[in-house]
Amino acid sequence: MKARTKSTLKKFAEEQKTRTCSRLAAEKCGKDGPVGTACCSRIKADPRVVGGFRVLGALDDFGRERLSKHYFMRDFLYSEISQVHGIPNVPEDADLAVKAGKALCRNLLEPLRHVFGHVTIRSAFRSASVNGFCNCHNMNCSSNKASYANHIWDHRDGDGFMGATACIVIPWFADWMNEKQGRDWRVLAWFIHNHLPYSEMVFFIEHAAVNLTWRGDPDDAAQDGDVLEFDGSRGSISWRSEPRRYVKSFQEPKGLLIKNGELKGHAPNDHYDDCLRDLCSDRPALSDYLKVLQAAKTEEDERFGRLV
């Protein structure tokens, strides 16, 4: 990424705070009266120039940032709210957004892709401006504070950790789940819980879509390295997360499954074993890979146990 890309995006993102919703400028929300810029005001796209460099060029450069072997930053930037309401989905801290995105891809998305095949990204990065507008208008977004190190990748959370969330759908699993009555989202939840260093999972109604979050120390060198090596292979396992270990669902059966790593819902059942058998039936080497993942996850869980 070019040096001027980061500064240009930061300046442009800061400008949007005062042009979208006055609430983001620590003022009373515009929807309650004509204070500052009204929340519902539409921003017209314009070819703005910030610091002598066109924002479009900076965004183009930012989108080309490679996060792992199979993912680029552009894969995570689309937002319907951003598109419809004309609020650019631009990071204030491009470096932190990229670093958190690399960790998400390395630790969660690439291993899932290695096991299940294609992973569809439904939504992921949100700028503070986009998320704040969404929350302000009750569009199913948490507050900015709650979304830091979650959907807002370019801000640390209140504990100083970085993090990144992507809402994903795994087509193989969605099809497998619908093939037989009784299969549901819990099979995927238990698979991720047993094999990967997630922080949070929140499941939704359609296709077992899940908000999947990774959270960790932004200064941890374990997350550095050549992105081409972030490919889901055994050699890419380098976990040091700071997880919340929290799983819940809005899909039936609704409710809390895991909190602080402790079981609050149903344990794995026969459908879970069926899923593992179906995954490995024509891929003998996958069974060995899953054992490696599970061993690494067990070690990570022991470290997590000492944290809590």
Side-chain angles (χ1 to χ4, degrees):
M1 191 190 320
K2 299 172 184 175
R4 61 182 180 178
T5 292
K6 292 179 282 189
S7 60
T8 300
L9 294 183
K10 179 177 176 62
K11 291 177 182 177
F12 189 62
E14 289 173 346
E15 284 188 10
Q16 302 313 307
K17 287 185 177 180
T18 58
R19 301 180 68 226
T20 55
C21 176
S22 57
R23 175 177 176 175
L24 301 178
E27 299 173 2
K28 186 178 180 181
C29 181
K31 71 178 182 180
D32 294 329
V35 180
T37 302
C39 291
C40 59
S41 63
R42 187 178 179 85
I43 300 174
K44 295 181 179 180
D46 59 12
R48 296 185 62 82
V49 177
V50 180
F53 185 54
R54 290 193 178 277
V55 172
L56 184 59
L59 285 171
D60 194 40
D61 184 38
F62 179 61
R64 290 193 180 106
E65 279 293 306
R66 195 168 190 171
L67 304 182
S68 65
K69 184 173 182 179
H70 298 103
Y71 295 102
F72 291 80
M73 192 69 206
R74 184 170 282 121
D75 297 325
F76 300 90
L77 294 178
Y78 181 77
S79 162
E80 286 89 351
I81 293 169
S82 170
Q83 294 294 310
V84 171
H85 295 282
I87 307 170
N89 199 24
V90 178
E92 296 172 60
D93 187 339
D95 276 338
L96 184 58
V98 167
K99 190 165 188 175
K102 286 180 178 178
L104 173 69
C105 292
R106 174 181 192 159
N107 295 296
L108 299 178
L109 300 187
E110 288 287 2
L112 284 173
R113 187 184 186 281
H114 193 76
V115 173
F116 291 98
H118 178 72
V119 175
T120 299
I121 311 298
R122 294 189 66 251
S123 67
F125 171 83
R126 294 190 202 124
S127 70
S129 294
V130 170
N131 193 86
F133 183 91
C134 175
N135 175 257
C136 181
H137 290 280
N138 302 315
M139 298 177 180
N140 296 321
C141 293
S142 299
S143 68
N144 279 8
K145 183 178 180 180
S147 297
Y148 290 155
N150 191 277
H151 273 295
I152 303 178
W153 298 9
D154 62 328
H155 285 258
R156 301 187 187 199
D157 65 18
D159 296 319
F161 293 115
M162 71 174 180
T165 295
C167 184
I168 64 169
V169 170
I170 299 176
W172 184 94
F173 181 80
D175 293 342
W176 178 89
M177 184 179 67
N178 292 327
E179 285 175 358
K180 189 173 182 180
Q181 189 173 5
R183 295 174 176 176
D184 59 49
W185 61 272
R186 289 172 295 180
V187 174
L188 181 58
W190 279 115
F191 178 89
I192 294 173
H193 178 75
N194 289 338
H195 295 90
L196 296 174
Y198 75 98
S199 178
E200 299 163 60
M201 287 185 269
V202 179
F203 284 84
F204 300 99
I205 295 174
E206 296 291 335
H207 309 301
V210 55
N211 270 1
L212 185 60
T213 303
W214 183 90
R215 179 175 182 259
D217 183 353
D219 300 318
D220 186 0
Q223 301 307 323
D224 297 333
D226 184 350
V227 294
L228 291 179
E229 296 176 358
F230 301 179
D231 60 357
S233 66
R234 301 179 194 186
S236 69
I237 296 175
S238 182
W239 297 343
R240 283 179 58 85
S241 59
E242 299 293 337
R244 291 195 171 98
R245 292 287 193 270
Y246 177 85
V247 183
K248 74 172 184 179
S249 177
F250 294 105
Q251 181 181 3
E252 295 293 345
K254 297 180 182 179
L256 195 62
L257 181 66
I258 295 169
K259 183 176 182 180
N260 291 330
E262 296 182 1
L263 178 64
K264 301 294 182 181
H266 297 284
N269 55 27
D270 292 342
H271 294 302
Y272 177 78
D273 295 331
D274 291 343
C275 181
L276 294 183
R277 278 195 297 270
D278 291 346
L279 280 169
C280 299
S281 61
D282 57 351
R283 298 170 63 191
L286 184 59
S287 179
D288 291 336
Y289 176 71
L290 294 181
K291 290 177 182 177
V292 172
L293 286 181
Q294 196 157 21
K297 178 59 165 44
T298 298
E299 184 177 327
E300 182 74 353
D301 283 344
E302 290 173 353
R303 191 180 71 85
F304 171 70
R306 293 192 293 271
L307 292 176
V308 297

